Amino acid sequence: REMEAGERAENLERQAEEAEALAAIYGDDFVRAGDGGTVWEIRVPLGDPDGPDERRPSDEVPFDAMLTRDGTPAPDCLVARVVPVETYPSRTPPLVEVHPVGALIQHRMDAALAAMDEEHAASDGDVCVFAFVTRLREMARAWRDEDRPSRRTGRHDDDDDHDEKDDDDDDDDTAGTGRGEEAETGDAEWDPAAIDAELASLALTTERFGRRDSGAGAGDDATGTDASGGCGWTDESVERSIVAGPPFAEKKSTFQGFLLRDVTSLEQVDAMIRALRRDSRIARCSHLMAAWRIALRGDPHDPDCVWAQDHDEDGEAGAGRGMSHLLRVTGSANVCVVVARWFGGIHLGPARFQLINNCARDMLERCGFLEGKGGGKGGGKCKGPG
């Protein structure tokens, strides 16, 4: 049957929302090309998608070890070209191409293209590009591991066994499926009529964590001096250093961002999350998502700097990875950013990732990490709440 004008208009609206969400999640890896931005291009690294600046450690298999259709070295990345036709997402998946054409041997290219149809079928008429890209990234990682020289020759050392275990753990992540949001029931829901009261209540949390010297760091006590001698910080000094952004609501879900700067260890990240969960209001949130990026050795502006960077999605699959990507593309250093979400009973779909990333980006901007040309300075003083 022919599409009615209302269905066509709704598809266009959902496509526009999805494009905004993809831009927020992937940053510079997402480009709108063609006339009027009608073609979406998403870069999919063939290296470790969670590695620093998309580069692999020196002991990883080189790109040219991957099997390509014509035997040439594999490129650094694939590019998924997506064309959201007017029947997407209500009836059909978008058109998709994977470039360069010769980058994958034929059965892998077939599997990549079939993944879009499968993800759209699983979405039951909802948008599915994020789920497709997430799956393509997972496939690329699996292909890279399959083509390790040691595996092609039948040799498996302890490092390979360890990598297989890590990959199995990642496969259970369910990133991009939206299951984190769909699973929210029972205690995660709260009375929508109480949203104004909830925002007012969360404002008290902003005051609690935001009431401090704007230049104080995680290792400072109330007077700006070393709080604990040897390690330079305590749980109390970390709690005093947390900056809280203003809460905001979208379709009865509430979001609030938090940031800790001058982070030098993973223990400080843990201390920050513990401090937030001690607050009764934050303890009731549906998800407490975090991402951090810490320069362990070397200057943050040095390409050889050794980083500790990771994320905690707290059940909202895909959100933490997007926040971690945001820290990398902005060049933010020695920082942990946290976004809390209180689910209000209405599923937001992929738009929630844009809201989460925007909340995290707002905290980086408030605290001076996005000054200059939009890249992080690795520091900056935090503005007060509000």
Side-chain angles (χ1 to χ4, degrees), residues 260-280:
L260 182 68
R261 62 189 293 270
D262 297 333
V263 181
T264 58
S265 69
L266 297 177
E267 288 76 16
Q268 286 170 282
V269 172
D270 293 337
M272 176 188 184
I273 295 175
R274 286 197 304 270
L276 292 173
R277 291 195 181 278
R278 283 195 295 269
D279 184 279
S280 60

Side-chain angles (χ1 to χ4, degrees), residues 11-34:
N11 278 347
L12 290 174
E13 181 179 355
R14 294 166 74 184
Q15 291 172 19
E17 292 176 352
E18 184 179 30
E20 291 179 5
L22 293 170
I25 294 168
Y26 295 116
D28 292 339
D29 286 341
F30 175 79
V31 176
R32 301 186 69 166

Side-chain angles (χ1 to χ4, degrees), residues 142-268:
W143 295 330
R144 181 198 67 200
D145 290 343
E146 287 174 8
D147 291 347
R148 288 178 186 271
S150 60
R151 302 204 176 174
R152 294 204 299 267
T153 59
R155 180 178 62 82
H156 296 275
D157 56 23
D158 292 340
D159 289 339
D160 287 334
D161 292 339
H162 177 71
D163 289 337
E164 288 180 19
K165 181 180 185 300
D166 288 344
D167 287 346
D168 290 341
D169 291 342
D170 288 341
D171 288 341
D172 291 336
D173 193 21
T174 67
T177 63
R179 293 170 191 162
E181 181 174 60
E182 292 170 1
E184 291 168 335
T185 58
D187 294 340
E189 297 187 13
W190 46 282
D191 184 3
I195 189 168
D196 290 336
E198 186 72 16
L199 286 171
S201 177
L202 287 172
L204 298 178
T205 301
T206 303
E207 293 178 5
R208 172 188 171 188
F209 289 107
R211 190 186 298 120
R212 66 178 186 85
D213 186 330
S214 63
D220 299 330
D221 64 10
T223 62
T225 59
D226 189 343
S228 61
C231 67
W233 61 273
T234 65
D235 280 4
E236 290 75 15
S237 69
V238 167
E239 181 169 344
R240 284 194 297 269
S241 300
I242 296 173
V243 177
F248 66 92
E250 179 71 23
K251 295 183 179 178
K252 301 178 183 178
S253 279
T254 301
F255 300 83
Q256 186 171 20
F258 305 87
L259 184 142
L260 182 68
R261 62 189 293 270
D262 297 333
V263 181
T264 58
S265 69
L266 297 177
E267 288 76 16
Q268 286 170 282

Side-chain angles (χ1 to χ4, degrees), residues 77 118 262 326 373:
C77 67
E118 294 167 2
D262 297 333
L326 175 66
K373 298 181 179 179

Side-chain angles (χ1 to χ4, degrees), residues 97-114:
E97 299 174 347
V98 177
H99 294 270
V101 175
L104 300 175
I105 53 181
Q106 189 60 52
H107 76 273
R108 289 178 175 173
M109 180 64 76
D110 293 342
L113 298 178

